[in-house]
Amino acid sequence: MTATLVDRIGLLVRNADDDGLPDELPGAAVVIEDGRIAWIGRAAGAPDADARIDADGRCVVPGFVDSHTHLVFAGDRSAEFEARMAGRPYTAGGIRTTVAATRAASDEALLARATGLVAEARRGGTTTIEIKSGYGLTVEDEARALRLAATLTPETTLLGAHVVPPEHAHDPEGYVDLVVGPMLTACAPHARWIDVFCDRGAFTVDQAERILVAGRDAGLGLRLHAAQLAPSPAVRLAVELGAASVDHCTHLEQADVDALAGGTTVATLLPGAEFSTRSPYPDARRLLDAGGTVALASDCNPGSSFTTSMSFCIALAVREMGMTPREALHAATAGGAAALRRDDVGVLRIGARADLLLLDAPSYVHLAYRPGVPLVTVL
Amino acid sequence: MTATLVDRIGLLVRNADDDGLPDELPGAAVVIEDGRIAWIGRAAGAPDADARIDADGRCVVPGFVDSHTHLVFAGDRSAEFEARMAGRPYTAGGIRTTVAATRAASDEALLARATGLVAEARRGGTTTIEIKSGYGLTVEDEARALRLAATLTPETTLLGAHVVPPEHAHDPEGYVDLVVGPMLTACAPHARWIDVFCDRGAFTVDQAERILVAGRDAGLGLRLHAAQLAPSPAVRLAVELGAASVDHCTHLEQADVDALAGGTTVATLLPGAEFSTRSPYPDARRLLDAGGTVALASDCNPGSSFTTSMSFCIALAVREMGMTPREALHAATAGGAAALRRDDVGVLRIGARADLLLLDAPSYVHLAYRPGVPLVTVL
């Protein structure tokens, strides 16, 4: 077993302070052994190691935890994006376009695309990533998406209830029967989570509840897309069911904020979607001030947010959502970990996974202060 | 002399269509010889070459021309950025902070910082860059900044009139005398351009005119910072004097738009500054619809826009400023070239500089569709 010392860290951000060390530690060092943090502390007291990386005064932060992506897909919707930005009507787009392209694609093509995007995300600092299905919408195609996703990450999510597919357009309840029946049976072995897109034009709150309860009974953890387009009681449903995360939360009523602050469900905000759909951003400040836990994620998908960049999400959160740079970094790391109910990532302490990002900057503030600039190296 | 063939370009964007080839050429190839474009056309008809780069169906566009940066400086203003984003008062900031740090820095430190930022910009696709002085504000310190900048680019700009330095606070006219006298004499040999920050809290329109006329008499081309904070007759002054560019243009009156549309002065928009100061964005649509020429530039500086990313500026221009992806790309390439009165960059035609960007995408639309993702390789 080889021990690597990451030495002369100008500022180490840990997302932890209950182990005798401060959350932000200047003049720090970390020893990595077997992919875990074996030692952490002041550089002056660092032990010997087999190899040494000199951080040269730069800032080190935990790897980003991107808890919301849709990476198993085929096709391109840049023309739809361009029309939307120009305010032009565009009828050939929408999730159904991606569903048709995904169904028609080979396993190899889907895996190559997803693998490329995971690699791109990693170059941008994402060391833990969640991937949803949701562009298959048949038993076989959803199971295939999850089987492929599971080769890339343990954080896989069945989103069979992304949208009602065209062949069930006149029988949405029949489609829900399919999701909670044969689809769930076929997909559960490849999934850790179940999710529903509960919003205007997608699934109702009652349908979402039925699907989430069935998923829970099948041993899956719960997540929910809600309140992206309009306020919805789905946010409170997620909290009541003890979902790990409710995602988007763009339109919240006070009762939603109160519920999130009082429960264990993380509010996962996805500013890339608001950027790329030219929509109003969620009010992170309100959630944080109420005591809620906030995560930031990319929502990477070809329709509404085709970015893998968590740094970009951090910059938007600071510019548009009332978060401080420190809060935004926390949300993109420990917040994402909480949204995945993980305690081994998003934090730098002894025993945690050694997912360290070396920033080409003296401080994490630069993630927002230097927007668009790639500052991250994964150690 | 070695000829390199860039082959199998899925889509070539040229910013030209007066040479028998369309502006956007699918299935294209380019031959590079001695840093210039020696041949350009359909891949099927490409000549032999000594070396070959396979673009594999990806998009190639002209290198970005960043016509507005302030890269010769020392110090960091991340704390000021953080306070501004949080709405907290912060009295230790402003241009004067950077002036003090820059004056105190060694030549080596200033050049190392500027060189690093030029390299970062190049990695992001910027193949032509303008650099201003403006953090010295003494004869010696301005001349030093320009001498250092001239080792990095021929596009150097004397911005002695950035702000009135503290030692002239009670005698701004005396400082203008210095700028148009000994400072101009000392700096002109190292500068191609002269610029003035003409806005609330900086220099008046009369002072700007005096400085620009003196610069013109010394053989320098004219640029002007104007209308960043409030509408100003300085925009029309720039057009009347035949300035190559008037920069910021955030607050324009109809007479300004009309003047820009009727003149030869480029309106250079700097959305990174609006992003990082949380200010309203300029209305590029209005300028384009009136027939004006628009450039996009980074305004890279440690106070109000610490980004080198032209891709980020393109994404903001599409999201926030009413530009189409094609217009934004044009502004970031040919627009910047026009703002520097250059016809050898920002365009891909025979004889032009072979500054080619290979995008990791089938189309330039992805520069806006995939915000925050590094898509660019400089060939």
Side-chain angles (χ1 to χ4, degrees), chain A residues 77 80 93-100 134-135 137 162-163 197 301 303:
Chain A
R77 281 159 62 192
E80 177 183 344
I95 292 173
R96 286 174 184 82
T97 313
T98 303
V99 170
Y135 296 120
L137 310 187
H162 197 187
V163 73
F197 183 23
N301 79 82

Side-chain angles (χ1 to χ4, degrees), chain B residues 15-309:
Chain B
N15 294 333
D17 64 359
D18 56 352
D19 53 3
L21 290 170
D23 177 42
E24 296 192 14
L25 185 63
V30 174
V31 176
I32 301 171
E33 244 179 80
D34 202 22
R36 297 272 162 177
I37 296 177
W39 184 91
I40 194 163
R42 297 188 195 280
D48 281 341
D50 307 300
R52 179 173 176 273
I53 295 169
D54 184 355
D56 196 20
R58 285 174 288 178
C59 184
V60 169
V61 304
F64 298 135
V65 179
D66 188 351
S67 62
H68 186 136
T69 82
H70 307 248
L71 298 189
V72 184
F73 66 88
D76 181 301
R77 281 159 61 193
S78 56
E80 177 184 345
F81 167 81
E82 199 173 0
R84 183 170 63 235
M85 287 296 112
R88 278 189 280 113
Y90 190 87
T91 53
I95 292 172
R96 286 175 182 82
T97 313
T98 302
V99 170
T102 304
R103 287 177 177 176
S106 68
D107 289 13
E108 293 66 31
L110 291 177
L111 187 59
R113 183 71 166 272
T115 303
L117 288 166
V118 168
E120 176 187 288
R122 187 172 174 88
R123 286 193 297 275
T126 298
T127 49
T128 302
I129 197 163
E130 181 262 14
I131 303 179
K132 301 178 199 300
S133 67
Y135 296 120
L137 309 188
T138 67
V139 172
E140 294 69 26
D141 286 303
E142 287 295 298
R144 169 168 85 141
L146 288 163
R147 213 171 53 237
L148 296 172
T151 66
L152 298 170
T153 179
E155 303 295 348
T156 54
T157 301
L158 168 57
L159 183 61
H162 197 186
V163 73
V164 176
E167 62 273 20
H168 285 272
H170 299 290
D171 176 30
E173 286 299 332
Y175 183 66
V176 174
D177 292 342
L178 182 75
V179 170
V180 302
M183 187 182 288
L184 181 56
T185 303
C187 291
H190 311 292
R192 184 174 175 219
W193 304 97
I194 191 164
D195 193 349
V196 179
F197 184 22
C198 180
D199 223 313
R200 213 166 54 201
F203 294 86
T204 67
V205 177
D206 286 346
Q207 290 168 338
E209 180 166 11
R210 193 176 155 214
I211 294 164
L212 291 180
V213 168
R216 187 172 63 187
D217 291 346
L220 303 183
L222 309 188
R223 332 184 61 72
L224 190 62
H225 283 65
Q228 178 181 7
L229 308 175
S232 162
V235 175
R236 275 159 280 163
L237 171 69
V239 176
E240 282 157 24
L241 291 176
S245 179
V246 57
D247 297 36
H248 284 295
C249 292
T250 311
H251 299 274
L252 296 183
E253 295 178 333
Q254 191 55 44
D256 302 325
V257 174
D258 294 343
L260 286 164
T264 60
T265 302
V266 172
T268 299
L269 310 182
L270 309 167
E274 277 82 27
F275 187 89
S276 292
T277 60
R278 203 181 279 138
S279 304
Y281 291 91
D283 186 349
R285 186 77 265 139
R286 184 181 178 200
L287 280 163
L288 290 165
D289 287 346
T293 301
V294 169
L296 284 171
S298 72
D299 194 15
C300 185
N301 79 82
S304 59
S305 181
F306 200 4
T307 185
T308 53
S309 173

Side-chain angles (χ1 to χ4, degrees), chain A residues 76-78 81-82 85-86 117 120 123 274-276 278-279 281 300 302-303 306-309 312 315-316 318-320 324-326 360 362 364-366 368-375, chain B residues 76-78 81-82 85-86 117 120 123 274-276 278-279 281 300 302-303 306-309 312 315-316 318-320 324-326 360 362 364-366 368-375:
Chain A
D76 181 302
R77 281 159 62 192
S78 55
F81 168 81
E82 199 173 0
M85 286 295 112
L117 288 167
E120 177 187 288
R123 286 193 296 276
E274 277 81 29
F275 187 88
S276 292
R278 203 181 280 134
S279 303
Y281 291 91
C300 186
F306 201 3
T307 185
T308 53
S309 173
F312 178 66
L316 287 181
V318 171
R319 166 57 153 87
E320 305 287 0
T324 67
R326 184 68 190 89
D360 188 14
Y364 58 84
V365 175
H366 289 233
Y369 176 46
R370 308 217 56 215
V373 177
L375 293 177
Chain B
D76 181 301
R77 281 159 61 193
S78 56
F81 167 81
E82 199 173 0
M85 287 296 112
L117 288 166
E120 176 187 288
R123 286 193 297 275
E274 277 82 27
F275 187 89
S276 292
R278 203 181 279 138
S279 304
Y281 291 91
C300 185
F306 200 4
T307 185
T308 53
S309 173
F312 178 68
L316 287 181
V318 171
R319 168 57 154 86
E320 305 287 0
T324 67
R326 184 67 190 89
D360 188 13
Y364 58 83
V365 174
H366 290 232
Y369 176 46
R370 308 218 56 215
V373 177
L375 294 177

Side-chain angles (χ1 to χ4, degrees), chain A residues 86-357:
Chain A
R88 278 190 280 114
Y90 189 88
T91 53
I95 292 173
R96 286 174 184 82
T97 313
T98 303
V99 170
T102 304
R103 287 176 177 177
S106 68
D107 289 13
E108 293 68 31
L110 291 176
L111 187 59
R113 183 71 166 274
T115 303
L117 288 167
V118 168
E120 177 187 288
R122 187 171 173 88
R123 286 193 296 276
T126 297
T127 49
T128 302
I129 196 162
E130 182 262 15
I131 303 179
K132 300 177 199 302
S133 67
Y135 296 120
L137 310 187
T138 67
V139 172
E140 294 70 26
D141 286 304
E142 287 296 298
R144 172 169 82 140
L146 288 163
R147 213 172 52 240
L148 296 172
T151 66
L152 298 170
T153 180
E155 302 296 347
T156 54
T157 301
L158 169 58
L159 182 61
H162 197 187
V163 73
V164 176
E167 62 273 19
H168 286 272
H170 299 290
D171 177 28
E173 286 299 332
Y175 184 65
V176 174
D177 293 341
L178 182 76
V179 171
V180 301
M183 188 181 287
L184 182 56
T185 304
C187 291
H190 311 293
R192 184 174 176 219
W193 304 96
I194 190 164
D195 193 349
V196 179
F197 183 23
C198 180
D199 222 313
R200 214 166 54 200
F203 294 87
T204 67
V205 177
D206 286 346
Q207 291 168 337
E209 180 166 12
R210 194 176 154 215
I211 294 164
L212 291 180
V213 168
R216 188 173 60 187
D217 291 346
L220 303 183
L222 309 187
R223 333 182 61 72
L224 190 61
H225 284 65
Q228 178 182 7
L229 307 174
S232 163
V235 175
R236 275 159 280 164
L237 170 69
V239 176
E240 282 157 23
L241 291 176
S245 179
V246 56
D247 297 37
H248 283 294
C249 292
T250 311
H251 299 273
L252 296 184
E253 295 178 333
Q254 190 56 43
D256 303 325
V257 174
D258 294 343
L260 286 163
T264 60
T265 302
V266 173
T268 299
L269 309 182
L270 310 167
E274 277 81 29
F275 187 88
S276 292
T277 59
R278 203 181 280 134
S279 303
Y281 291 91
D283 186 350
R285 185 77 264 141
R286 184 182 178 200
L287 281 163
L288 290 166
D289 287 346
T293 301
V294 170
L296 285 171
S298 72
D299 193 15
C300 186
N301 79 82
S304 59
S305 180
F306 201 3
T307 185
T308 53
S309 173
M310 293 292 281
S311 295
F312 178 66
C313 295
I314 288 171
L316 287 181
V318 171
R319 166 57 153 87
E320 305 287 0
M321 293 158 54
M323 300 181 87
T324 67
R326 184 68 190 89
E327 288 167 341
L329 174 62
H330 189 274
T333 52
L340 295 172
R341 297 264 163 102
R342 293 275 295 267
D343 59 10
D344 60 330
V345 297
V347 61
L348 299 181
R349 61 176 1 141
I350 290 177
R353 250 176 48 184
D355 295 333
L356 276 69
L357 306 185

